[in-house]
Amino acid sequence: MVSTIQNTDVKQKDSARAVVVAVSSRAVFGSGAGDGLYGMGVAFPLLQALQRVNERLLEENPAESLLFDVVLITTDSQQQQQSSSIISSTRHYGLEVSRFCFSSEEDFIESLIKNNVQLFLSTDRNEAPQASQKGVLSALLDRHVAPSEQLRVMFCGDAVVQPDTGPMPASRQAAQSFSAQLGEMRRRFGMLDSPLSIVLVTSRGGRESCGGALRTLRSHGLSVDEAYCLAGAPRSPILSVIRPHFLLSDSFSCLED
């Protein structure tokens, strides 16, 4: 059973142009709802950064329709019983959430598909791979990201340059589509003072591998702000410095590399 509630406090986005991002409510809010309000969870910096991108896009063009459209997905049975607290907490913190979706753990992928989700973000190591297997682009959230004025998205170049063998998986098609939209957003801003930063990291191979990944992303309409060629070196030092909000890769252990 899937139930979706529209947030009437937020202006709804253009469904034909918006980039729909679903975030697990367990990542947004901590456990327990004292005084009817949940505490802030690890996804708060992400939601604030998404909102900042939207604000800057609308500052540049008040008629802009290419905006992030955030959906809150709740599968936790206890939080579902306190759905009014979820909604009240979202309003209390001023989070720009367009819709609240409540579903069972068995039906949460159906909820993603019904809401035309283009990116699903969670801290749950079971949910993200399940969604990816069904063709929904998914990633794990970094639990240690500090509040930032800038949305930082990292791409794993090793996954980007994988050779195509046979039909393209649905998840990879979704990644290419999301990359194109993200690239279009990034082009709305100049080189300096952008609220959106795209970072590429390649763990294996040398400069040729990194160059191939750059060319592949550009062919999808996405240019990067920074690129790191690690040539076999561990990724954790770079991650600890950049602290991307999420890393798009075929691996769901990458943020702990």
Side-chain angles (χ1 to χ4, degrees):
M1 179 70 179
V2 177
S3 172
T4 302
I5 300 174
Q6 193 173 87
N7 186 357
T8 56
D9 291 348
V10 172
K11 183 180 179 180
Q12 298 299 303
K13 309 296 188 298
D14 182 346
S15 59
R17 287 283 288 159
V19 180
V20 184
V21 178
V23 187
S24 166
S25 64
R26 282 181 289 200
V28 176
F29 298 116
S31 59
D35 298 324
L37 294 174
Y38 281 95
M40 294 184 290
V42 298
F44 258 69
L46 166 77
L47 293 187
Q48 290 169 337
L50 291 172
Q51 285 182 214
R52 181 58 179 156
V53 173
N54 281 354
E55 289 167 2
R56 287 285 304 277
L57 285 167
L58 291 171
E59 286 173 10
E60 297 285 333
N61 176 14
E64 180 64 72
S65 57
L66 181 64
L67 301 167
F68 287 115
D69 190 16
V70 179
V71 178
L72 210 60
I73 302 288
T74 301
T75 58
D76 184 278
S77 58
Q78 184 176 356
Q79 287 188 342
Q80 287 194 16
Q81 292 170 7
Q82 298 176 321
S83 58
S84 60
S85 295
I86 291 283
I87 296 171
S88 297
S89 299
T90 302
R91 290 170 176 164
H92 173 76
Y93 293 116
L95 299 178
E96 193 179 273
V97 173
S98 295
R99 296 180 296 285
F100 304 93
C101 187
F102 301 93
S103 73
S104 65
E105 291 187 0
E106 294 76 19
D107 295 332
F108 91 93
I109 292 176
E110 178 188 345
S111 70
L112 299 178
I113 295 171
K114 278 190 172 181
N115 283 279
N116 298 314
V117 170
Q118 288 145 285
L119 175 66
F120 172 59
L121 298 168
S122 175
T123 53
D124 190 305
R125 291 188 168 277
N126 293 318
E127 286 182 343
Q130 286 177 37
S132 180
Q133 289 169 7
K134 295 297 182 179
V136 180
L137 181 63
S138 306
L140 288 171
L141 286 166
D142 190 340
R143 294 177 176 272
H144 306 291
V145 173
S148 170
E149 288 288 303
Q150 188 178 61
L151 175 66
R152 298 183 297 276
V153 181
M154 181 177 280
F155 283 80
C156 173
D158 307 295
V160 169
V161 297
Q162 282 183 353
D164 293 325
T165 54
M168 185 182 294
S171 58
R172 197 160 187 193
Q173 293 178 21
Q176 290 190 8
S177 174
F178 178 77
S179 298
Q181 290 177 300
L182 203 63
E184 189 176 348
M185 272 188 182
R186 180 63 186 87
R187 289 193 294 276
R188 298 287 200 272
F189 307 106
M191 293 297 294
L192 302 175
D193 192 34
S194 170
L196 173 60
S197 176
I198 312 298
V199 181
L200 171 70
V201 59
T202 54
S203 299
R204 300 184 295 272
R207 287 180 298 177
E208 295 79 9
S209 178
C210 188
L214 283 168
R215 289 190 293 273
T216 299
L217 287 177
R218 285 172 185 161
S219 73
H220 299 160
L222 180 67
S223 296
V224 307
D225 295 282
E226 302 175 51
Y228 298 90
C229 174
L230 302 183
R235 194 161 43 194
S236 52
I238 289 294
L239 289 172
S240 65
V241 172
I242 298 175
R243 278 300 173 202
H245 290 88
F246 56 90
L247 170 59
L248 292 175
S249 170
D250 286 350
S251 167
F252 291 96
S253 62
C254 41
L255 285 176
E256 295 181 358
D257 189 323

